Amino acid sequence: MTRHLPWLLIAIVGAFALSVVALSRGETINALWIVVAAVSSFLVAYRYYALYIARHVMRLNGNRPTPAVRRADGLDYVATDRTVLFGHHFAAIAGAGPLVGPVLAAQMGYLPGTLWIIAGVVLAGAVQDFMVLFISIRRDGKSLGELIRMEMGQVAGTIALFGAFMIMVIILAVLALIVVKALAESPWGMFTVAATVPLALFMGIYTRWIRPGRIGEVSILGLIGLFAAIVYGQSIAQSPVWGPIFTFTPVQLCWILIGYGAVASVLPVWLLLAPRDYLSTFLKIGAIAALAIGIVIMAPPLRMPALTQFIGGGGPAWSGALFPFIFITIACGAVSGFHALISSGTTPKLIASEDHAPFIGYGAMLMEAFVAIMALVGAAILDPGIYFTMNSPAALIGTDPASASAAITAMGFPITPDLIAQTAKDVGEHSIISRAGGAPTLAVAMAEIFSHVIGGQAMKAFWYHFAILFEALFILTAVDAGTRAGRFMLQDLIALAVPSFKDSKSHAPGMIATGLCVAAWGFFLYQGVTDPLGGVNTLWPVFGISNQMLAAIALMLGTAVLFRMKQDRYAWVTVIPTVWLLICTLSAGWLKLFSADPKVGFLAHASKFAAAAQNGEVLAPAKSMAEMQRIIFNDRIDAALVGLFLAVVLSILFFTIRTCLAARRVAAPTAHEIPAQMVPAE
Amino acid sequence: MSGLWQVMQRTARLMVGIPDYDAYVRHMADHHPDQTPMDRTAFFRNRQEARFAGKNGGKCC
């Protein structure tokens, strides 16, 4: 009994912190209460719930050879130390998602986001990652699509693969959009990000020929280069010659990114992608650690209210009410379907023993949730006036400090034009108005936290651009790597109809698939950039819906596998989060399609504009009939996309129910596991 | 202390997709004594290609 005492203590501390966070109204509380509440909840959940799942639901067996043992080859299949593998897995799952979603969710106050991240990760997100990892370990480290095909049939596998490809397209578009929003009209930011290209080329040549394989030293050289770029970026931005050269409009940046994506994804990986991967990975891990330390040292008060008036809908950053939209706005961090692709990627091939699976599958996701909590804290420590100035579309608040201050003050968050102008000046930008997308808001928060610890007011602009660079860098790496991954997915899909398309000897299929992939995300990026409502408003919910649907698909796979293992009585572990995600995504998808509110429903928005267009009217924010037509067209494409996602998830639901019922009719387990007694290869 | 440093180094390398070279050499010596293992450079290039050659290229959102 005594071994439970420390955990009981942690649970009490956590419950107390959570009640402080949840119950305080009116008075300002310290951000550390959220951190303590989250960390204690995660520790207790890991100690009890992850272990319960491991022992009773999955019945993990440490003596059963994992793929890394059975198929050891020293390359892809390597039994890896569990701490080392934890780092690998965490670096693979942590991206921009957990940083952006919580920042956007903060428009409803800090409380809804905090509660959803904590509950979501414990009951859904970490369960999903852990479950898919377990399923893949028992099946030779196969990928999600293959696992679904094995357990639910060929058709279900193909549908899931197609769904995953579409989700990839939306993720790439939305990530690229965030970069556009962060770098538009910002010569300092643009210069530092542009400088990473020659820097990465140099690093690539260095690791290829000068000192092959010396990742450590080349990364240090690269980091020095990055810091130099941030420092010199300021003078570049202020220079009358260079400043304008690095100043781009959103549309120009959009085309630059599309061109970049197309070129970068066909270059040899060692030249650009791999070296930038080193920089972005190490910078990401370093920045996350620094942010955690910074928040603890600064212990900032939360200035955002616990709840804002936007919980009923009508918020400026994104439309829709708390239910269901907060549950799709915070996707990564609480539960992310994309992780199912990682958990069935390299990690199951590297895990040394099934006993390590809870730490890696469940534990790494808790860590990601912690990152999301920090992002939420970042958004909530800012002056709410600044937050809403940065996250409201220009159509609502205008483009100069006076109009923005008037509009935001009218929302109930008083702010002076001087403060808006001063904040922009502090971070070294021309303007902070309508910098939606989450990244710039988080960068202002990180600048606040870092400059409190190092450098003070004078370093704020440096830290702001450091934060922008850190986010842009790993988003660009994701765009590049994602385009390559999407290309292979597309080749697999097309090969189902045209088998020769998989032929790796000829270049044409690869080029065509790459082109199609870039064109697909480029289309949505362009749509987002030219969207008068700011783009993030439209695309982020579509991304959230698709990502959560992939999570539901992964959890449905988990449910089907539990039924086939004859572990039905424990299936609630995956059924509860599945049902919740289905409720959230189906209702959000339904609202996005059919809501009568044109701010929420794509079709309602399209008909409103179509009706006006018929009468020859031009509705703001469109400025011409051509723009009207484009808005209508975009709405219908988005609606079709959401409809497609709904169809994918519903058909997988059908296959899951069918699989579970079939498994119930058979007395013995039918899951396609590799038998435990199978001897290692060789 | 050197143990911790080694773990950190191996973690950092695996984060960017490069597994432990010594483990690879050990594996080759144990299981394929007849074959010559790749040298460090070839091993590094092989892993760099493999990381982004399709299936494993997915990074998270």
Side-chain angles (χ1 to χ4, degrees):
Chain A
M1 212 48 229
T2 46
R3 69 200 168 94
H4 293 295
L5 274 180
W7 297 101
L8 187 68
L9 206 67
I10 295 175
I12 293 171
V13 170
F16 178 72
L18 206 54
S19 64
V20 171
V21 173
L23 300 177
S24 69
R25 290 288 178 282
E27 74 268 41
T28 310
I29 64 162
N30 196 287
L32 289 185
W33 286 113
I34 291 187
V35 175
V36 171
V39 171
S40 334
S41 309
F42 295 166
L43 287 174
V44 172
Y46 176 70
R47 168 63 182 78
Y48 290 98
Y49 194 45
L51 228 59
Y52 171 82
I53 295 175
R55 279 193 196 144
H56 301 287
V57 182
M58 300 173 177
R59 295 209 221 138
L60 294 184
N61 173 2
N63 296 321
R64 203 177 164 124
T66 59
V69 175
R70 207 172 39 246
R71 300 172 60 108
D73 64 358
L75 298 169
D76 291 314
Y77 298 86
V78 188
T80 305
D81 176 86
R82 70 180 203 142
T83 324
V84 174
L85 187 57
F86 181 91
H88 165 81
H89 186 69
F90 175 69
I93 62 173
L99 296 175
V100 172
V103 172
L104 297 177
Q107 82 163 356
M108 293 193 169
Y110 62 78
L111 188 57
T114 305
L115 295 181
W116 164 234
I117 291 171
I118 294 178
V121 73
V122 166
L123 297 174
V127 174
Q128 179 218 224
D129 289 25
F130 185 19
M131 198 70 204
V132 173
L133 179 62
F134 160 73
I135 294 171
S136 184
I137 290 174
R138 290 259 170 114
R139 286 159 190 77
D140 254 353
K142 290 212 183 320
S143 69
L144 184 71
E146 291 169 313
L147 295 175
I148 292 179
R149 199 174 312 147
M150 282 171 87
E151 299 294 338
M152 292 201 253
Q154 181 74 42
V155 180
T158 306
I159 294 175
L161 187 61
F162 175 71
F165 172 72
M166 285 314 295
I167 292 164
M168 183 78 104
V169 166
I170 293 297
I171 287 182
L172 294 178
V174 96
L175 288 179
L177 179 64
I178 291 167
V179 173
V180 169
K181 292 277 165 191
L183 297 184
E185 318 292 347
S186 167
W188 188 347
M190 186 62 202
F191 170 76
T192 54
V193 173
T196 64
V197 175
L199 201 58
L201 296 177
F202 159 74
M203 289 171 66
I205 290 164
Y206 188 94
T207 44
R208 185 75 180 178
W209 289 302
I210 304 177
R211 301 261 289 167
R214 299 304 177 108
I215 296 172
E217 58 187 50
V218 82
S219 300
I220 291 171
L221 289 176
L223 286 177
I224 294 171
L226 280 188
F227 279 100
I230 304 176
V231 171
Y232 283 106
Q234 184 162 28
S235 346
I236 296 281
Q238 283 162 357
S239 145
V241 183
W242 293 103
I245 294 181
F246 286 99
T247 306
F248 293 99
T249 64
V251 175
Q252 286 171 323
L253 270 177
C254 165
W255 288 111
I256 292 173
L257 268 176
I258 291 173
Y260 164 83
V263 173
S265 62
V266 294
L267 286 180
V269 291
W270 60 264
L271 185 59
L272 184 60
L273 177 53
R276 236 206 354 238
D277 183 34
Y278 308 152
L279 284 181
S280 70
T281 303
F282 301 144
L283 204 59
K284 171 172 78 187
I285 300 295
I288 288 171
L291 188 59
I293 296 168
I295 288 178
V296 171
I297 295 181
M298 187 183 178
L302 298 170
R303 297 170 75 183
M304 182 68 79
L307 298 167
T308 67
Q309 72 267 36
F310 301 125
I311 50 174
W318 45 278
S319 316
L322 186 119
F323 177 85
F325 288 105
I326 197 128
F327 304 102
I328 56 159
T329 300
I330 302 185
C332 316
V335 47
S336 167
F338 220 70
H339 295 185
L341 303 180
I342 312 284
S343 295
S344 61
T346 45
T347 308
K349 299 181 183 121
L350 296 169
I351 196 160
S353 157
E354 287 191 357
D355 287 339
H356 299 172
F359 177 60
I360 292 165
Y362 200 94
M365 180 61 197
L366 291 177
M367 185 94 147
E368 161 134 322
F370 181 69
V371 174
I373 287 283
M374 291 198 296
L376 188 75
V377 163
I381 64 167
L382 294 177
D383 184 327
I386 294 289
Y387 173 88
F388 285 105
T389 303
M390 296 188 73
N391 288 288
S392 306
L396 273 182
I397 62 168
T399 49
D400 64 272
S403 67
S405 135
I408 302 293
T409 305
M411 280 181 205
F413 301 98
I415 184 161
T416 60
D418 291 346
L419 184 59
I420 294 177
Q422 185 59 41
T423 307
K425 210 170 144 228
D426 283 348
V427 298
E429 288 291 291
H430 298 308
S431 162
I432 55 157
I433 298 164
S434 295
R435 291 211 164 248
T441 312
L442 185 66
V444 171
M446 284 172 75
E448 197 79 43
I449 293 166
F450 288 167
S451 65
H452 179 89
V453 180
I454 300 173
Q457 198 66 17
M459 289 278 281
K460 237 183 190 171
F462 175 85
W463 288 124
Y464 172 84
H465 287 93
F466 168 79
I468 290 285
L469 178 64
F470 133 82
E471 292 172 285
L473 197 57
F474 71 70
I475 287 178
L476 288 181
T477 313
V479 165
D480 189 341
T483 303
R484 285 171 203 264
R487 168 209 146 174
F488 286 102
M489 280 179 175
L490 198 59
Q491 261 181 290
D492 282 356
L493 279 170
I494 298 177
L496 292 173
V498 191
S500 64
F501 215 78
K502 226 174 170 172
D503 183 9
S504 52
K505 279 186 216 83
S506 89
H507 283 293
M511 294 299 248
I512 295 171
T514 303
L516 285 174
C517 195
V518 174
W521 65 254
F523 171 81
F524 288 103
L525 172 63
Y526 185 77
Q527 175 195 327
V529 167
T530 51
D531 182 345
L533 291 168
V536 173
N537 214 318
T538 314
L539 278 183
W540 190 264
V542 178
F543 156 67
I545 290 173
S546 64
N547 195 28
Q548 303 303 66
M549 280 187 170
L550 188 59
I553 290 173
L555 285 163
M556 285 194 265
L557 167 70
T559 308
V561 168
L562 287 178
F563 271 84
R564 296 188 74 152
M565 289 171 79
K566 285 287 162 195
Q567 286 285 73
D568 341 1
R569 66 205 157 98
Y570 294 111
W572 58 266
V573 166
T574 50
V575 169
I576 291 174
T578 304
V579 169
W580 176 246
L581 286 177
L582 287 177
I583 292 173
C584 290
T585 53
L586 293 177
S587 54
W590 184 264
L591 287 172
K592 276 283 155 204
L593 279 178
F594 301 116
S595 168
D597 179 359
K599 278 197 187 117
V600 177
F602 288 132
L603 292 177
H605 195 258
S607 6
K608 181 179 152 189
F609 276 70
Q614 266 194 337
N615 298 335
E617 287 173 56
V618 174
L619 290 186
K623 290 186 187 74
S624 65
M625 213 26 112
E627 282 193 14
M628 292 285 288
Q629 294 305 334
R630 198 170 63 215
I631 289 175
I632 297 165
F633 177 70
N634 288 350
D635 279 334
R636 292 193 172 141
I637 290 279
D638 291 336
L641 195 65
V642 171
L644 195 77
F645 286 137
L646 290 176
V648 166
V649 80
L650 287 173
S651 58
I652 298 289
L653 176 63
F654 164 77
F655 283 106
T656 307
I657 294 174
R658 205 178 67 163
T659 308
C660 293
L661 290 178
R664 296 271 299 177
R665 283 196 291 273
V666 185
T670 46
H672 287 135
E673 289 184 358
I674 307 274
Q677 62 278 15
M678 196 124 127
V679 281
E682 243 78 49
Chain B
M1 207 48 212
S2 72
L4 180 70
W5 175 243
Q6 273 210 332
V7 168
M8 281 172 60
Q9 221 174 9
R10 270 161 48 210
T11 308
R13 291 177 72 85
L14 192 62
M15 273 179 183
V16 292
I18 311 292
D20 194 13
Y21 178 69
D22 297 332
Y24 162 74
V25 172
R26 267 201 307 279
H27 170 84
M28 292 304 278
D30 289 350
H31 298 276
H32 311 280
D34 50 316
Q35 295 171 19
T36 337
M38 290 182 271
D39 63 13
R40 266 179 202 280
T41 306
F43 176 81
F44 171 71
R45 289 181 183 173
N46 174 298
R47 290 298 85 199
Q48 208 177 35
E49 277 304 318
R51 176 166 168 81
F52 298 106
K55 307 269 178 204
N56 306 328
K59 274 251 175 175
C60 191
C61 40

